[in-house]
């Protein structure tokens, strides 16, 4: 799955021990970054030229969270949260962060990015959390 068109729509802002060399604009870039293992958390913001509206694929990811029980006040904000969760979470705080995000966001993250580097850990957390 490709996450976005050719024009950048998102900017990934990382929390790391050392600064990242350049902002990244695609989930695949985050996963492939040589600095990936330094990322402890991430925030994502929309940077597209047009007004931020979810694509059909993005809306479907939010639908997964909603079907799993997420209260959806702002579909765009929820999508950005799901996208950020799909980047990398520090393994030292993974269980606590996933509990904070909640089952609906974790399920939606897996729907968005089943091949994410931490997908197996997300699945294991879901099994433990019940």
């Amino acid at each position: 799955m490709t996450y976005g068109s050719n024009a950048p729509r998102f900017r990934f802002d990382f929390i790391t021990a050392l600064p990242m060399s350049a902002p990244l604009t695609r989930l695949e870039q985050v996963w492939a970054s040589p600095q990936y293992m330094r990322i402890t958390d991430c925030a994502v913001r929309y940077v597209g030229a047009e007004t931020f509206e979810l694509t059909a694929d993005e809306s479907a990811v939010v639908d997964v969270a909603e079907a799993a029980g997420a209260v959806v006040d702002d579909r765009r904000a929820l999508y950005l949260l799901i996208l950020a969760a799909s980047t990398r979470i520090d393994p030292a705080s993974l269980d606590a962060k996933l509990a904070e995000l909640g089952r609906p966001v974790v399920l939606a993250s897996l729907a968005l990015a089943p091949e994410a580097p931490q997908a197996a850990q997300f699945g294991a957390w879901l099994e433990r959390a019940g």
Side-chain angles (χ1 to χ4, degrees):
M1 175 179 231
T2 300
Y3 307 97
S5 67
N6 290 333
R9 286 176 46 86
F10 305 104
R11 177 183 165 141
F12 295 83
D13 294 311
F14 303 103
I15 299 169
T16 63
L18 300 170
M20 298 289 278
S21 59
L24 302 176
T25 59
R26 297 191 193 292
L27 194 51
E28 296 94 337
Q29 290 175 329
V30 173
W31 297 337
S33 171
Q35 299 169 330
Y36 178 79
M37 296 304 288
R38 293 189 209 158
I39 298 168
T40 58
D41 206 351
C42 177
V44 180
R45 60 187 162 120
Y46 178 75
V47 295
E50 305 295 323
T51 302
F52 183 25
E53 296 298 332
L54 296 177
T55 66
D57 287 342
E58 293 164 355
S59 189
V61 168
V62 174
D63 290 344
V64 169
E66 189 170 30
V71 176
V72 183
D73 295 325
D74 182 340
R75 293 179 64 79
R76 293 172 295 218
L78 181 55
Y79 181 76
L80 293 176
L81 178 66
I82 294 163
L83 189 56
S86 302
T87 58
R88 181 176 189 275
I89 299 170
D90 184 2
S93 60
L94 185 67
D95 284 350
K97 181 68 174 185
L98 294 181
E100 176 187 320
L101 291 169
R103 185 177 187 80
V105 170
V106 175
L107 285 167
S109 176
L110 285 172
L112 171 66
E115 72 283 7
Q118 291 186 315
Q121 290 92 338
F122 281 29
W125 180 84
L126 286 168
E127 286 181 21
R128 288 190 309 275

